[in-house]
Amino acid sequence: MPKRQREEAPSSSDADMGSETADVHIPEQPPYRPPSEAQSMLVRVTRGCSWNRCTFCGMYKSLTFEARPVEEIEKDLIGLRRFYPQARSIFLADSDSLTHPDLLAVVRSIKQTFPETDRITSYSRLTTLRKLDPGHLRALREAGLTRIHAGLESGSMKVLARVRKGLR
């Protein structure tokens, strides 16, 4: 199966919109919403999965992993503000947003655009967390990242090796 390079939301020109909303930016949305984030606004920070080798997950197999440019994300935030006048909880998608090289700028932009937000959450691989400097994690927390979900599918190294989780 060929890999798609990007998965994008339809542009305003793709939709049959009245002249009043024709210039509205349609934010790019991820293909998946975690159940625990059912009430959260989604901000697509990365596309795909940085690991993408786990045998139990087929979620992003057709996508090539990439970090979205901050400028694209900021444009999405402006568009999302129109759809979410009160975003109390925000989830950073797709998987492993902590690999984004400018995540601190992204989190700051989110808090600037949505100052009422109480919670900003991201998934992360354990290997990504292990590589991050504690000072960087502290800066992300101070900027507004309040929760990180880490994949703990098993405590058995044998099982983790079998499902190709990539841990040692």
Side-chain angles (χ1 to χ4, degrees):
M1 177 185 303
K3 288 192 179 264
R4 288 179 293 172
Q5 292 300 312
R6 299 173 57 139
E7 186 171 290
E8 297 191 38
S11 69
S12 57
S13 63
D14 293 336
D16 183 21
M17 301 177 146
S19 61
E20 185 178 312
T21 58
D23 62 345
V24 174
H25 171 72
I26 306 296
E28 187 172 325
Q29 289 293 287
Y32 175 70
R33 175 187 295 274
S36 64
E37 301 297 332
Q39 302 303 315
S40 297
M41 181 183 83
L42 304 180
V43 177
R44 195 169 198 183
V45 174
T46 59
R47 293 182 187 103
C49 176
S50 61
W51 177 249
N52 213 14
R53 296 179 204 138
C54 299
T55 59
F56 59 85
C57 179
M59 187 85 47
Y60 304 107
K61 298 296 187 206
S62 64
L63 295 174
T64 300
F65 180 78
E66 64 179 317
R68 294 185 66 214
V70 174
E71 299 76 26
E72 280 185 21
I73 298 166
E74 288 174 339
K75 188 174 180 182
D76 281 358
L77 292 174
I78 294 166
L80 286 164
R81 177 45 104 183
R82 292 183 65 132
F83 296 107
Y84 294 90
Q86 288 293 312
R88 308 302 291 181
S89 179
I90 296 174
F91 181 75
L92 307 180
D94 284 345
S95 75
D96 209 4
S97 297
L98 271 70
T99 59
H100 195 291
D102 298 315
L103 187 60
L104 186 57
V106 170
V107 173
R108 287 178 175 151
S109 291
I110 290 169
K111 284 300 281 186
Q112 183 176 2
T113 308
F114 295 92
E116 74 281 359
T117 298
D118 297 322
R119 185 180 95 172
I120 300 174
T121 306
S122 177
Y123 278 152
S124 182
R125 296 191 71 235
L126 292 175
T127 54
T128 300
L129 284 171
R130 196 175 358 187
K131 293 175 189 173
L132 293 175
D133 177 72
H136 182 65
L137 288 170
R138 197 170 8 268
L140 287 168
R141 172 64 180 110
E142 290 168 2
L145 181 66
T146 56
R147 186 180 293 186
I148 298 170
H149 297 293
L152 301 173
E153 285 76 17
S154 175
S156 164
M157 290 307 290
K158 188 175 183 178
V159 170
L160 293 171
R162 178 176 243 165
V163 299
R164 297 182 64 201
K165 191 68 180 159
L167 298 173
R168 293 184 198 136

